[in-house]
Amino acid sequence: MAEPLLVVEDLEVHYPIGKSLFKEGVTLRALDGVSFTVGKGEVVGLVGESGSGKTTLGRAVLRLVEPTSGRVQLGDKDVTALPPADLKALRSKMQIIFQDPYASLNPRMSVGQTLGEALMLHKIGTRKDRDQRIGDLLEQVGLPRSAAARFPHEFSGGQRQRIGIARALAVNPEFIVADEPVSALDVSIQAQIINLLQDLRRELGLSLLFIGHDLSVIEFLCDRVIVLYLGRVMEMGTAAELYANPRHPYTRALLDAAPVPDPTVRRDRITLKGDLPSPVNPPSGCVFRTRCPYAIDACAEVVPPLETLESGHRVACIRSHELNLANPIA
Ligand SMILES: Nc1ncnc2c1ncn2[C@@H]1O[C@H](COP(=O)(O)OP(=O)(O)OP(=O)(O)O)[C@@H](O)[C@H]1O
Ligand code: SF4
Ligand SMILES: [Mg+2]
């Protein structure tokens, strides 16, 4: 595995909610003790149902959301220990690509101004250098240099996402979080943006945390995958290993929910019933137990540790040794 660039240890984000003058508040455990690494030049995928904590994780890593506890290290910098005044310097090392390219660009700024602002903020280059760099960035993301003079409304959704990617790349970041960067786009455009990210990743050796819903996109783009459920890691491993040999019932269920070219190939499927439980009051023991077809009494008592298997991938299920999820019989 590549040398780790990003190290995340036991990260927690608990949101206090509902507190008022007359009412005690409660705690929403959006992220509950998540640990992982992203290697130099590695693309790690993050999957899980809506509300599982993906965006919270991506933002907490960048300190766009303040972690409740835990540690994030980028290279030799302890991100979590940085005083707020030093966060600006951090932004030149870590960037984010947002889901919605419409909302994330200032409509009153030309594309050149948007990219120039990012460069100026981080004191990159002289004015002339910056104009050159803006043109280079636009070409890098497949847009003409002349796009600098135009405004966001003059571009299609896919083109706007290219601008969003150029803005993230402007400061030469070491690490980028891409939070569902294609979900808001037409299906026909999604592949173009995914291919662009794949090309950039090869050219620039980008390290990326790629948040997504579409498992086929994740498989195409990512070296490793993290499966998140109710703010906890259920399973992580190489994309190849996880897809061919899932060891957590939740991973199996996500794979079964994805469309397959020939649905007759596997008839035994795990169907996810009901909704994600509330992160205000998560189930005891294994948080997946209320929806797991393999749950036994013991699952309510112990929080399954994230164990490393012979195959090298990691799984948090006390029954993973006895279940054959490659061909489920439930
Ligand atoms: N600022 C906030 N205050 C309180 N609760 C929040 C806040 N932001 C997120 N949450 C809650 O934290 C949990 C995780 O939300 P998050 O947005 O991280 O999930 P997600 O996996 O990104 O979902 P989606 O796939 O819909 O984008 C949810 O229960 C959500 O309601
Ligand atoms: S620990 Fe129990 S409830 Fe959780 S995934 Fe494994 S079998 Fe299912
Ligand atoms: Mg999200």
Side-chain angles (χ1 to χ4, degrees), residues 248-250 286 288-289 292-296 299 304 316-320 323:
H248 196 286
Y250 183 56
C286 172
F288 185 55
R289 72 179 167 81
C292 178
Y294 304 103
I296 54 175
C299 301
C317 167
I318 57 170
R319 299 194 66 196
S320 67
L323 299 177

PDB file of all heavy atoms in Angstrom, residues 248-250 286 288-289 292-296 299 304 316-320 323, ligand 2:
ATOM      1  N   HIS A 248     -19.059  -8.175   5.054  1.00  0.00           N
ATOM      2  CA  HIS A 248     -20.040  -7.597   5.976  1.00  0.00           C
ATOM      3  C   HIS A 248     -21.429  -7.630   5.315  1.00  0.00           C
ATOM      4  O   HIS A 248     -21.562  -7.256   4.144  1.00  0.00           O
ATOM      5  CB  HIS A 248     -19.672  -6.158   6.324  1.00  0.00           C
ATOM      6  CG  HIS A 248     -20.404  -5.644   7.524  1.00  0.00           C
ATOM      7  ND1 HIS A 248     -21.737  -5.295   7.485  1.00  0.00           N
ATOM      8  CD2 HIS A 248     -20.002  -5.452   8.798  1.00  0.00           C
ATOM      9  CE1 HIS A 248     -22.117  -4.900   8.690  1.00  0.00           C
ATOM     10  NE2 HIS A 248     -21.078  -4.988   9.513  1.00  0.00           N
ATOM     11  N   PRO A 249     -22.456  -8.068   6.058  1.00  0.00           N
ATOM     12  CA  PRO A 249     -23.790  -8.125   5.456  1.00  0.00           C
ATOM     13  C   PRO A 249     -24.254  -6.801   4.859  1.00  0.00           C
ATOM     14  O   PRO A 249     -24.985  -6.780   3.869  1.00  0.00           O
ATOM     15  CB  PRO A 249     -24.689  -8.537   6.631  1.00  0.00           C
ATOM     16  CG  PRO A 249     -23.791  -9.280   7.546  1.00  0.00           C
ATOM     17  CD  PRO A 249     -22.436  -8.618   7.434  1.00  0.00           C
ATOM     18  N   TYR A 250     -23.831  -5.679   5.453  1.00  0.00           N
ATOM     19  CA  TYR A 250     -24.253  -4.380   4.913  1.00  0.00           C
ATOM     20  C   TYR A 250     -23.620  -4.136   3.538  1.00  0.00           C
ATOM     21  O   TYR A 250     -24.274  -3.636   2.628  1.00  0.00           O
ATOM     22  CB  TYR A 250     -23.892  -3.258   5.891  1.00  0.00           C
ATOM     23  CG  TYR A 250     -24.368  -1.903   5.417  1.00  0.00           C
ATOM     24  CD1 TYR A 250     -25.708  -1.671   5.123  1.00  0.00           C
ATOM     25  CD2 TYR A 250     -23.482  -0.847   5.243  1.00  0.00           C
ATOM     26  CE1 TYR A 250     -26.150  -0.441   4.679  1.00  0.00           C
ATOM     27  CE2 TYR A 250     -23.912   0.396   4.804  1.00  0.00           C
ATOM     28  CZ  TYR A 250     -25.248   0.598   4.522  1.00  0.00           C
ATOM     29  OH  TYR A 250     -25.686   1.820   4.069  1.00  0.00           O
ATOM     30  N   CYS A 286     -23.870  -4.009  17.622  1.00  0.00           N
ATOM     31  CA  CYS A 286     -23.664  -3.718  16.204  1.00  0.00           C
ATOM     32  C   CYS A 286     -24.784  -2.800  15.720  1.00  0.00           C
ATOM     33  O   CYS A 286     -25.964  -3.160  15.780  1.00  0.00           O
ATOM     34  CB  CYS A 286     -23.670  -5.012  15.396  1.00  0.00           C
ATOM     35  SG  CYS A 286     -23.654  -4.690  13.623  1.00  0.00           S
ATOM     36  N   PHE A 288     -25.786  -2.138  12.901  1.00  0.00           N
ATOM     37  CA  PHE A 288     -26.532  -2.646  11.745  1.00  0.00           C
ATOM     38  C   PHE A 288     -27.533  -3.732  12.127  1.00  0.00           C
ATOM     39  O   PHE A 288     -28.324  -4.192  11.305  1.00  0.00           O
ATOM     40  CB  PHE A 288     -25.538  -3.183  10.695  1.00  0.00           C
ATOM     41  CG  PHE A 288     -26.189  -3.634   9.409  1.00  0.00           C
ATOM     42  CD1 PHE A 288     -27.005  -2.768   8.679  1.00  0.00           C
ATOM     43  CD2 PHE A 288     -25.991  -4.919   8.920  1.00  0.00           C
ATOM     44  CE1 PHE A 288     -27.616  -3.187   7.496  1.00  0.00           C
ATOM     45  CE2 PHE A 288     -26.602  -5.334   7.730  1.00  0.00           C
ATOM     46  CZ  PHE A 288     -27.413  -4.464   7.025  1.00  0.00           C
ATOM     47  N   ARG A 289     -27.543  -4.142  13.405  1.00  0.00           N
ATOM     48  CA  ARG A 289     -28.279  -5.361  13.766  1.00  0.00           C
ATOM     49  C   ARG A 289     -29.784  -5.290  13.509  1.00  0.00           C
ATOM     50  O   ARG A 289     -30.418  -6.293  13.221  1.00  0.00           O
ATOM     51  CB  ARG A 289     -28.006  -5.745  15.228  1.00  0.00           C
ATOM     52  CG  ARG A 289     -28.640  -4.839  16.245  1.00  0.00           C
ATOM     53  CD  ARG A 289     -28.326  -5.307  17.646  1.00  0.00           C
ATOM     54  NE  ARG A 289     -28.664  -4.296  18.609  1.00  0.00           N
ATOM     55  CZ  ARG A 289     -29.887  -4.073  19.071  1.00  0.00           C
ATOM     56  NH1 ARG A 289     -30.894  -4.808  18.666  1.00  0.00           N
ATOM     57  NH2 ARG A 289     -30.116  -3.110  19.947  1.00  0.00           N
ATOM     58  N   CYS A 292     -30.126  -6.428   9.959  1.00  0.00           N
ATOM     59  CA  CYS A 292     -29.241  -7.497   9.474  1.00  0.00           C
ATOM     60  C   CYS A 292     -29.964  -8.856   9.496  1.00  0.00           C
ATOM     61  O   CYS A 292     -30.435  -9.286  10.548  1.00  0.00           O
ATOM     62  CB  CYS A 292     -27.995  -7.570  10.344  1.00  0.00           C
ATOM     63  SG  CYS A 292     -26.883  -8.891   9.834  1.00  0.00           S
ATOM     64  N   PRO A 293     -30.023  -9.556   8.365  1.00  0.00           N
ATOM     65  CA  PRO A 293     -30.709 -10.856   8.356  1.00  0.00           C
ATOM     66  C   PRO A 293     -29.955 -11.934   9.143  1.00  0.00           C
ATOM     67  O   PRO A 293     -30.508 -12.989   9.414  1.00  0.00           O
ATOM     68  CB  PRO A 293     -30.763 -11.217   6.865  1.00  0.00           C
ATOM     69  CG  PRO A 293     -29.744 -10.371   6.190  1.00  0.00           C
ATOM     70  CD  PRO A 293     -29.558  -9.146   7.025  1.00  0.00           C
ATOM     71  N   TYR A 294     -28.729 -11.676   9.513  1.00  0.00           N
ATOM     72  CA  TYR A 294     -27.916 -12.672  10.227  1.00  0.00           C
ATOM     73  C   TYR A 294     -27.773 -12.375  11.714  1.00  0.00           C
ATOM     74  O   TYR A 294     -27.017 -13.045  12.413  1.00  0.00           O
ATOM     75  CB  TYR A 294     -26.505 -12.738   9.616  1.00  0.00           C
ATOM     76  CG  TYR A 294     -26.511 -13.039   8.143  1.00  0.00           C
ATOM     77  CD1 TYR A 294     -26.292 -12.027   7.218  1.00  0.00           C
ATOM     78  CD2 TYR A 294     -26.728 -14.325   7.673  1.00  0.00           C
ATOM     79  CE1 TYR A 294     -26.295 -12.293   5.854  1.00  0.00           C
ATOM     80  CE2 TYR A 294     -26.736 -14.609   6.316  1.00  0.00           C
ATOM     81  CZ  TYR A 294     -26.518 -13.582   5.416  1.00  0.00           C
ATOM     82  OH  TYR A 294     -26.526 -13.852   4.082  1.00  0.00           O
ATOM     83  N   ALA A 295     -28.486 -11.335  12.203  1.00  0.00           N
ATOM     84  CA  ALA A 295     -28.292 -10.906  13.603  1.00  0.00           C
ATOM     85  C   ALA A 295     -28.662 -12.016  14.591  1.00  0.00           C
ATOM     86  O   ALA A 295     -29.647 -12.732  14.390  1.00  0.00           O
ATOM     87  CB  ALA A 295     -29.121  -9.658  13.870  1.00  0.00           C
ATOM     88  N   ILE A 296     -27.849 -12.168  15.634  1.00  0.00           N
ATOM     89  CA  ILE A 296     -28.151 -13.082  16.746  1.00  0.00           C
ATOM     90  C   ILE A 296     -28.116 -12.252  18.033  1.00  0.00           C
ATOM     91  O   ILE A 296     -27.732 -11.070  17.998  1.00  0.00           O
ATOM     92  CB  ILE A 296     -27.125 -14.249  16.817  1.00  0.00           C
ATOM     93  CG1 ILE A 296     -25.696 -13.685  16.864  1.00  0.00           C
ATOM     94  CG2 ILE A 296     -27.299 -15.211  15.642  1.00  0.00           C
ATOM     95  CD1 ILE A 296     -24.612 -14.736  17.055  1.00  0.00           C
ATOM     96  N   CYS A 299     -25.218  -9.975  18.983  1.00  0.00           N
ATOM     97  CA  CYS A 299     -24.964  -8.754  18.194  1.00  0.00           C
ATOM     98  C   CYS A 299     -25.443  -7.498  18.919  1.00  0.00           C
ATOM     99  O   CYS A 299     -25.004  -6.386  18.622  1.00  0.00           O
ATOM    100  CB  CYS A 299     -25.635  -8.838  16.826  1.00  0.00           C
ATOM    101  SG  CYS A 299     -25.078 -10.240  15.849  1.00  0.00           S
ATOM    102  N   PRO A 304     -18.911  -4.718  17.450  1.00  0.00           N
ATOM    103  CA  PRO A 304     -17.894  -5.530  16.774  1.00  0.00           C
ATOM    104  C   PRO A 304     -16.654  -4.699  16.439  1.00  0.00           C
ATOM    105  O   PRO A 304     -16.773  -3.613  15.870  1.00  0.00           O
ATOM    106  CB  PRO A 304     -18.590  -5.977  15.476  1.00  0.00           C
ATOM    107  CG  PRO A 304     -20.030  -5.676  15.658  1.00  0.00           C
ATOM    108  CD  PRO A 304     -20.131  -4.575  16.663  1.00  0.00           C
ATOM    109  N   ALA A 316     -16.179  -5.252  10.461  1.00  0.00           N
ATOM    110  CA  ALA A 316     -16.704  -5.162  11.826  1.00  0.00           C
ATOM    111  C   ALA A 316     -17.985  -5.978  11.918  1.00  0.00           C
ATOM    112  O   ALA A 316     -19.092  -5.436  11.813  1.00  0.00           O
ATOM    113  CB  ALA A 316     -16.970  -3.696  12.183  1.00  0.00           C
ATOM    114  N   CYS A 317     -17.852  -7.297  12.055  1.00  0.00           N
ATOM    115  CA  CYS A 317     -19.013  -8.180  12.202  1.00  0.00           C
ATOM    116  C   CYS A 317     -18.564  -9.406  12.978  1.00  0.00           C
ATOM    117  O   CYS A 317     -17.597 -10.064  12.573  1.00  0.00           O
ATOM    118  CB  CYS A 317     -19.544  -8.587  10.821  1.00  0.00           C
ATOM    119  SG  CYS A 317     -20.733  -9.950  10.886  1.00  0.00           S
ATOM    120  N   ILE A 318     -19.258  -9.702  14.072  1.00  0.00           N
ATOM    121  CA  ILE A 318     -18.799 -10.827  14.899  1.00  0.00           C
ATOM    122  C   ILE A 318     -19.028 -12.176  14.202  1.00  0.00           C
ATOM    123  O   ILE A 318     -18.499 -13.187  14.613  1.00  0.00           O
ATOM    124  CB  ILE A 318     -19.465 -10.843  16.308  1.00  0.00           C
ATOM    125  CG1 ILE A 318     -21.002 -10.893  16.190  1.00  0.00           C
ATOM    126  CG2 ILE A 318     -19.014  -9.661  17.144  1.00  0.00           C
ATOM    127  CD1 ILE A 318     -21.688 -11.167  17.539  1.00  0.00           C
ATOM    128  N   ARG A 319     -19.825 -12.187  13.137  1.00  0.00           N
ATOM    129  CA  ARG A 319     -20.110 -13.457  12.445  1.00  0.00           C
ATOM    130  C   ARG A 319     -19.388 -13.570  11.098  1.00  0.00           C
ATOM    131  O   ARG A 319     -19.659 -14.499  10.325  1.00  0.00           O
ATOM    132  CB  ARG A 319     -21.620 -13.612  12.240  1.00  0.00           C
ATOM    133  CG  ARG A 319     -22.400 -13.633  13.555  1.00  0.00           C
ATOM    134  CD  ARG A 319     -23.819 -14.112  13.336  1.00  0.00           C
ATOM    135  NE  ARG A 319     -23.851 -15.502  12.917  1.00  0.00           N
ATOM    136  CZ  ARG A 319     -24.912 -16.091  12.355  1.00  0.00           C
ATOM    137  NH1 ARG A 319     -26.004 -15.402  12.148  1.00  0.00           N
ATOM    138  NH2 ARG A 319     -24.866 -17.359  12.003  1.00  0.00           N
ATOM    139  N   SER A 320     -18.484 -12.645  10.813  1.00  0.00           N
ATOM    140  CA  SER A 320     -17.887 -12.635   9.463  1.00  0.00           C
ATOM    141  C   SER A 320     -17.143 -13.944   9.152  1.00  0.00           C
ATOM    142  O   SER A 320     -17.060 -14.337   7.994  1.00  0.00           O
ATOM    143  CB  SER A 320     -16.967 -11.438   9.284  1.00  0.00           C
ATOM    144  OG  SER A 320     -15.846 -11.568  10.105  1.00  0.00           O
ATOM    145  N   LEU A 323     -19.997 -16.556   8.040  1.00  0.00           N
ATOM    146  CA  LEU A 323     -20.940 -16.247   6.959  1.00  0.00           C
ATOM    147  C   LEU A 323     -20.265 -16.402   5.597  1.00  0.00           C
ATOM    148  O   LEU A 323     -19.102 -16.033   5.434  1.00  0.00           O
ATOM    149  CB  LEU A 323     -21.455 -14.805   7.093  1.00  0.00           C
ATOM    150  CG  LEU A 323     -22.218 -14.458   8.369  1.00  0.00           C
ATOM    151  CD1 LEU A 323     -22.588 -12.973   8.374  1.00  0.00           C
ATOM    152  CD2 LEU A 323     -23.481 -15.302   8.493  1.00  0.00           C
TER     153      LEU A 323
HETATM  154  S1  SF4 B   2     -22.403  -8.262  14.014  1.00  0.00           S
HETATM  155 FE1  SF4 B   2     -24.364  -9.333  13.895  1.00  0.00          FE
HETATM  156  S2  SF4 B   2     -25.857  -7.755  13.338  1.00  0.00           S
HETATM  157 FE2  SF4 B   2     -23.822  -6.928  12.912  1.00  0.00          FE
HETATM  158  S3  SF4 B   2     -23.475  -7.382  10.779  1.00  0.00           S
HETATM  159 FE3  SF4 B   2     -22.587  -9.085  11.937  1.00  0.00          FE
HETATM  160  S4  SF4 B   2     -24.213 -10.614  12.069  1.00  0.00           S
HETATM  161 FE4  SF4 B   2     -25.184  -8.695  11.431  1.00  0.00          FE
END
